[in-house]
Amino acid sequence: MEAKTNFNKVKQILFQALFYLFPVFASVKPLFVKRQRKFIFEYWIFYIIGFVLLVYTHVNYFNAKDKDKFVWKMYFVQTYFFIMYISSEIDKFRIWQGDGGILNLNATISTCIFFLVAAYVIYVFIFSNLHISISQISLGNAKISLLKEKYNEEINNQVKNVKYLLEKFNIENKMLSKMSEYCVKVKDKLIRDGFILKDIEYQILLTEYFSNLNEKVKVFVLPNLDNNILKEFKLKSREIDIIKYQLNHWELYSTQIDKNYYLFIPFCYKLELINDGKPVYILLESHNPIIVGAEKNIICNLLTKFTDDLLDVLQNN
């Protein structure tokens, strides 16, 4: 057991030593090459700064709460030493012709600028876009990993969204398939009470749709865009003007007020045309963000099917 513990400690020490392998190589090798020694002695302060950053990054990892930053921090430290190494051998590589470089700067500075830009581009396209971070390397008792793709979280969110939409479409299809039976009940209500209110029936139908999804969405059917009614939803006069303009031009309008999300949908079909041809306005209120396009299509499909089936049931009475 003790031997295994000692072996693990040795592994940990060797692994952590890898962080220092290239910086030490980049700093020591030029000492054995005559043409590079001058560079080290001239810019020794930059090597000191590099090792201070390296040790700080390594030590700071153990106390850091956000350990995901460790990889890209270490990446830039290693890049720093790579630039120092390339700069010490600038004459050998002949990257720039003569002494001219970027913006007529000398070859060494031009090289530093070039590799800094290249390193940043790699960072943007790999560490930012691919979201690579750490997640499981053995460092003592703590375990993190070298490659953890943050895309996993985004993919999971997309999968959830797809499942959520599929559930909505499934409920929609079930309601559409049973709409005739539903309309028979509405006809019975009409016979019993002597009347039905179209706007109320719209509201009941759509409320049932959201309740089937276990969503706490309030449905309001507004016969017009009266200012006093709209102000009850804490809408300001300027926003009311915008709402009226967009709805009168058959456009949707969504907004967020305090912690509530609102979606206005204009709707006009046969029942509206029978009366005065003016649309009604479906207003949804939810504590959660509303999928505008999906809700608009589903609601219009439900109300259209309801109208057609209700008229058929009444005509066949």
Side-chain angles (χ1 to χ4, degrees):
M1 185 69 179
E2 184 178 352
K4 184 176 181 181
T5 301
N6 293 333
F7 177 72
N8 289 335
K9 287 182 179 179
V10 172
K11 280 174 54 179
Q12 294 163 17
I13 293 172
L14 290 175
F15 177 77
Q16 295 178 49
L18 291 177
F19 300 145
Y20 298 85
L21 186 61
F22 179 74
V24 170
F25 169 79
S27 304
V28 173
K29 180 181 178 294
L31 292 174
F32 297 95
V33 180
K34 184 176 180 180
R35 67 173 181 274
Q36 296 176 33
R37 255 180 242 148
K38 180 181 178 182
F39 181 88
I40 283 208
F41 292 139
E42 186 174 352
Y43 297 102
W44 63 270
I45 187 64
F46 291 101
Y47 287 91
I48 298 297
I49 292 173
F51 277 103
V52 169
L53 289 173
L54 178 61
V55 172
Y56 174 79
T57 302
H58 185 194
V59 173
N60 189 56
Y61 161 77
F62 297 100
N63 300 320
K65 292 182 179 179
D66 186 2
K67 299 185 185 300
D68 283 349
K69 293 180 180 178
F70 176 74
V71 164
W72 65 261
K73 284 183 178 179
M74 187 58 70
Y75 162 77
F76 277 115
V77 172
Q78 299 292 330
T79 300
Y80 178 92
F81 279 99
F82 175 76
I83 291 174
M84 294 297 295
Y85 177 74
I86 290 296
S87 299
S88 69
E89 292 201 295
I90 194 68
D91 295 334
K92 174 183 176 182
F93 291 109
R94 299 183 182 279
I95 298 176
W96 312 100
Q97 291 185 357
D99 293 329
I102 298 174
L103 299 176
N104 291 323
L105 298 172
N106 65 45
T108 301
I109 296 177
S110 297
T111 301
C112 292
I113 293 174
F114 173 80
F115 282 107
L116 278 174
V117 172
Y120 181 75
V121 169
I122 292 173
Y123 164 75
V124 169
F125 283 97
I126 295 181
F127 289 93
S128 292
N129 278 3
L130 293 182
H131 300 284
I132 295 179
S133 61
I134 55 178
S135 114
Q136 261 186 11
I137 305 175
S138 273
L139 281 180
N141 293 326
K143 290 199 172 185
I144 51 178
S145 108
L146 264 178
L147 297 176
K148 172 179 110 183
E149 300 185 8
K150 290 184 181 175
Y151 268 148
N152 287 340
E153 182 179 351
E154 295 180 9
I155 291 172
N156 289 336
N157 289 335
Q158 292 297 328
V159 170
K160 288 180 181 178
N161 290 337
V162 170
K163 289 182 178 179
Y164 175 65
L165 286 174
L166 289 175
E167 184 181 3
K168 278 185 170 293
F169 296 145
N170 185 43
I171 295 297
E172 176 196 10
N173 288 332
K174 287 181 179 179
M175 292 186 68
L176 290 175
S177 64
K178 296 181 180 180
M179 192 64 73
S180 294
E181 299 173 18
Y182 180 86
C183 289
V184 170
K185 296 178 182 178
V186 176
K187 183 190 76 170
D188 293 341
K189 183 194 299 186
L190 173 62
I191 295 173
R192 183 182 68 249
D193 299 337
F195 70 95
I196 58 172
L197 297 176
K198 166 179 61 73
D199 297 351
I200 297 298
E201 295 304 325
Y202 283 172
Q203 185 171 331
I204 293 172
L205 176 65
L206 296 179
T207 299
E208 181 178 338
Y209 157 66
F210 286 109
S211 64
N212 287 334
L213 290 162
N214 294 320
E215 293 183 2
K216 295 181 180 180
V217 177
K218 293 181 181 179
V219 180
F220 304 90
V221 180
L222 309 179
N224 55 63
L225 299 175
D226 183 83
N227 282 23
N228 293 327
I229 296 176
L230 294 177
K231 285 180 179 178
E232 293 180 5
F233 299 97
K234 300 180 181 180
L235 292 165
K236 297 180 180 180
S237 298
R238 174 57 181 163
E239 190 164 21
I240 290 175
D241 292 337
I242 296 174
I243 290 172
K244 287 184 175 182
Y245 177 82
Q246 291 199 203
L247 295 181
N248 288 333
H249 286 78
W250 297 99
E251 296 179 9
L252 307 180
Y253 184 83
S254 62
T255 187
Q256 181 182 2
I257 302 174
D258 295 332
K259 295 183 179 179
N260 290 331
Y261 295 87
Y262 295 91
L263 174 61
F264 290 83
I265 303 172
F267 179 77
C268 182
Y269 194 49
K270 294 178 180 178
L271 295 180
E272 288 70 36
L273 295 175
I274 290 174
N275 295 324
D276 50 14
K278 293 182 180 179
V280 294
Y281 304 96
I282 314 300
L283 171 58
L284 306 181
E285 180 185 84
S286 174
H287 290 303
N288 299 316
I290 299 172
I291 304 178
V292 176
E295 298 299 4
K296 181 258 183 182
N297 291 331
I298 292 174
I299 286 173
C300 289
N301 289 341
L302 290 173
L303 296 183
T304 300
K305 179 66 171 173
F306 169 76
T307 301
D308 288 337
D309 287 5
L310 180 61
L311 291 176
D312 286 343
V313 168
L314 294 177
Q315 288 173 359
N316 295 327
N317 186 14

